[in-house]
Amino acid sequence: MAKKPKTIFVCQECGYESPTWMGQCICGAWNSFVEEKEITPVKEDNRRRTIDGGKPVKLKEVGTREYSRIDTGVGELNRVLGGGLVKGSLVLISGEPGIGKSTIIIQAASNIAKNGQKVLYVSGEESEEQIKLRADRVCGELPETLFVLPETNLDIVETVCDNINPSFLIIDSIQTMYSDELDSAPGSVSQVRACGNKLMKIGKMKNTPVFIVAHVTKSGDLAGPKTVEHLVDCVLNFAGERDQELRILRSFKNRFGTTSEIGAFMMEENGLQEVRDISGTFLENKAEGAEGSVTAAIYEGSRPVMFEVQALVAPANVGFARRTAVGADNTRLNMLLAVLEKKAGLKLVNEDVYVNIVGGLRPEGTSFDLAVALAIYSSYKNRITAKKTIVIGEIGLTGDIRTVRFADKIVREAVRMGYERIIMPSSNLKSLKGSFEGCEIVGVKNIVEAIKIF
């Protein structure tokens, strides 16, 4: 129980504290003392975050500092994190079982340990032998500074951290951890919340980055209370199809970097391998001259990403026509179909429409609206484009083609990859600078113009 606050007197000029009021301070100022209550926190209070007695400071006097980062040795992971692991940060990573969460973590742990830094891998789900088998397969020769602890009691984990003082702590997973302070079972809302707070305290007090693995629900959302998601500094999601090799790492929250970066990996026998040319990976199996296939592009973080949009329009046999989208938003697909019917005259009410973003990518934003619409038109009319074309643009409800961000960088990347034509919003065309020899760049104002050019 907290003690009753004690009265002290603080000089407004120099900050000198005195147990009694003084007419003149030691700094020479007169009548500068004001009465304040001194806060004396309970030492055993584990719920607190501050260590200086809860004393507020002026925001303008807070110094900015460069956050020191730890290189994970995995370039794509560093990219998504914003340049590496920030010391003292909490990173939560989620993904479906078998997607590769533990693989990428043990690879990063091994790389950090090879630089001479101590790494503690706490596993509540696997034994030491299971972790060792995975590490031998994906990491090669293991460093002496990589430690493993099969434990679910977080109080014991905290004691081990005090003993070996690791530079990097991994908890796999938080749903298996519990604290003696609570009687509830591991994985319960109260235990997950309490363990999250305790891990935050370990990370902040010891200036140690903490990597937390979290389970997901059947819908793909993070399991457990939302308070843990709000508590951590970074939330990563590892996604991909289990029957495909490509894996996409995306940041949903990042206090030390952008959330627009994505990392690409290929799952191979010796672990996760980084994909440098992500656009080439998405387009390597694209068939030229096929109806219903259009190349789209988005700008993710610091690089353009090209990918294939496929559409299939077929007569509906019975009942209502189906509208199915894989990798794209189904609600937005219905909106684009309504625009095509109203503004372009396509009769799709009795047609089944299927849209697929090839490669398991789930692009965010609306800059590939026009590519989806033209893919649907191509399948419906059995039309194909004669040139190697990229399509970008957002479609409004009036059928107009709206501006997209970073169009100039997408154009430069498309020209570098050898595309012969780019269909884009007219408003973006005006802002392009420089010459793009060998590539025809066409600006369109509405969906009707785009269809005529396509």
Side-chain angles (χ1 to χ4, degrees):
M1 186 174 182
K3 297 180 180 179
K4 185 177 180 181
K6 182 173 65 174
T7 300
I8 59 172
F9 297 88
V10 182
C11 176
Q12 293 294 90
E13 296 293 332
C14 67
Y16 176 73
E17 297 179 359
S18 172
T20 59
W21 186 86
M22 298 170 60
Q24 185 183 24
C25 179
I26 58 174
C27 68
W30 285 91
N31 300 320
S32 60
F33 280 87
V34 294
E35 182 180 353
E36 288 187 1
K37 299 292 184 181
E38 184 182 35
I39 303 173
T40 306
V42 179
K43 293 183 179 179
E44 293 78 15
D45 187 0
N46 292 323
R47 298 168 295 177
R48 294 177 58 249
R49 179 170 180 173
T50 57
I51 58 176
D52 57 359
K55 184 178 180 180
V57 295
K58 296 177 182 178
L59 183 60
K60 64 181 295 183
E61 295 178 358
V62 176
T64 58
R65 60 189 175 95
E66 289 286 337
Y67 288 103
S68 57
R69 296 179 183 266
I70 297 175
D71 182 10
T72 65
V74 183
E76 292 294 293
L77 177 59
N78 286 341
R79 178 198 294 272
V80 177
L81 290 171
L85 277 171
V86 175
K87 292 184 177 180
S89 64
L90 269 73
V91 179
L92 189 69
I93 183 169
S94 66
E96 295 181 357
I99 208 68
K101 302 185 298 297
S102 299
T103 301
I104 192 173
I105 290 172
I106 196 65
Q107 287 182 244
S110 177
N111 291 335
I112 294 172
K114 286 176 181 177
N115 292 328
Q117 303 182 73
K118 290 183 180 179
V119 178
L120 178 60
Y121 191 116
V122 180
S123 175
E125 299 180 344
E126 296 178 303
S127 64
E128 304 106 308
E129 290 79 10
Q130 289 174 307
I131 298 172
K132 176 67 162 51
L133 287 172
R134 181 187 301 114
D136 286 338
R137 177 172 56 86
V138 303
C139 301
E141 185 178 354
L142 297 176
E144 295 288 336
T145 52
L146 178 55
F147 299 88
V148 61
L149 176 66
E151 182 56 66
T152 56
N153 190 326
L154 200 56
D155 300 299
I156 296 177
V157 173
E158 186 175 14
T159 302
V160 173
C161 288
D162 292 335
N163 293 335
I164 70 172
N165 194 24
S167 299
F168 181 32
L169 174 62
I170 300 166
I171 304 294
D172 186 6
S173 66
I174 193 171
Q175 274 84 8
T176 63
M177 296 292 147
Y178 72 94
S179 173
D180 287 334
E181 298 173 2
L182 300 174
D183 294 330
S184 53
S188 63
V189 172
S190 56
Q191 282 288 4
V192 173
R193 184 185 294 115
C195 291
N197 281 308
K198 191 177 287 284
L199 289 170
M200 182 193 69
K201 182 181 177 182
I202 292 173
K204 303 300 181 186
M205 296 287 285
K206 297 181 178 295
N207 202 27
T208 301
V210 182
F211 229 104
I212 304 171
V213 179
H215 293 163
V216 294
T217 62
K218 291 182 179 180
S219 61
D221 298 325
L222 277 170
K226 277 289 183 182
T227 51
V228 176
E229 191 174 348
H230 298 316
L231 183 72
V232 300
D233 299 304
C234 185
V235 178
L236 305 180
N237 179 258
F238 215 30
E241 302 297 330
R242 296 190 61 179
D243 57 345
Q244 297 182 3
E245 296 177 345
L246 187 66
R247 303 285 189 270
I248 300 296
L249 182 67
R250 185 185 294 275
S251 172
F252 289 157
K253 172 187 176 182
N254 194 348
R255 289 175 178 161
F256 305 108
T258 179
T259 57
S260 59
E261 289 280 11
I262 64 170
F265 301 87
M266 295 292 286
M267 178 62 80
E268 298 181 0
E269 185 178 351
N270 58 343
L272 288 164
Q273 303 299 318
E274 299 176 58
V275 176
R276 304 294 184 184
D277 183 15
I278 185 171
S279 297
T281 302
F282 285 127
L283 298 173
E284 63 181 355
N285 295 320
K286 185 178 185 300
E288 297 296 335
E291 71 260 10
S293 175
V294 174
T295 302
I298 55 174
Y299 197 81
E300 288 281 0
S302 58
R303 59 181 172 181
V305 177
M306 281 69 172
F307 56 94
E308 181 184 1
V309 177
Q310 293 180 343
L312 175 64
V313 179
N317 292 324
V318 291
F320 294 103
R322 302 182 212 176
R323 279 83 171 90
T324 303
V326 178
D329 182 50
N330 210 74
T331 303
R332 193 148 191 92
L333 171 60
N334 289 326
M335 186 210 81
L336 294 176
L337 293 176
V339 171
L340 286 171
E341 288 198 8
K342 180 74 174 180
K343 303 298 179 180
L346 270 66
K347 303 299 182 183
L348 301 171
V349 65
N350 294 319
E351 304 285 341
D352 290 336
V353 180
Y354 304 91
V355 172
N356 177 39
I357 307 299
V358 178
L361 181 68
R362 295 183 179 273
E364 295 184 347
T366 56
S367 60
F368 62 102
D369 281 353
L370 184 56
V372 173
L374 291 182
I376 294 170
Y377 171 80
S378 172
S379 178
Y380 181 70
K381 294 289 188 178
N382 295 320
R383 291 270 303 273
I384 60 173
T385 178
K387 294 183 178 181
K388 194 176 179 183
T389 305
I390 278 184
V391 178
I392 58 173
E394 176 188 347
I395 298 179
L397 288 176
T398 59
D400 60 317
I401 310 301
R402 307 177 68 86
T403 304
V404 298
R405 298 172 63 230
F406 304 111
D408 55 336
K409 297 180 180 179
I410 293 175
V411 169
R412 290 188 179 90
E413 179 66 11
V415 173
R416 185 191 69 81
M417 295 180 67
Y419 281 88
E420 302 171 359
R421 184 172 61 169
I422 301 172
I423 300 176
M424 62 188 302
S426 297
S427 52
N428 281 122
L429 187 62
K430 300 175 183 177
S431 61
L432 289 181
K433 297 179 181 179
S435 59
F436 304 97
E437 296 182 3
C439 183
E440 177 189 4
I441 302 177
V442 184
V444 292
K445 295 181 180 180
N446 54 57
I447 185 63
V448 176
E449 287 186 15
I451 288 175
K452 288 180 180 178
I453 293 170
F454 186 78

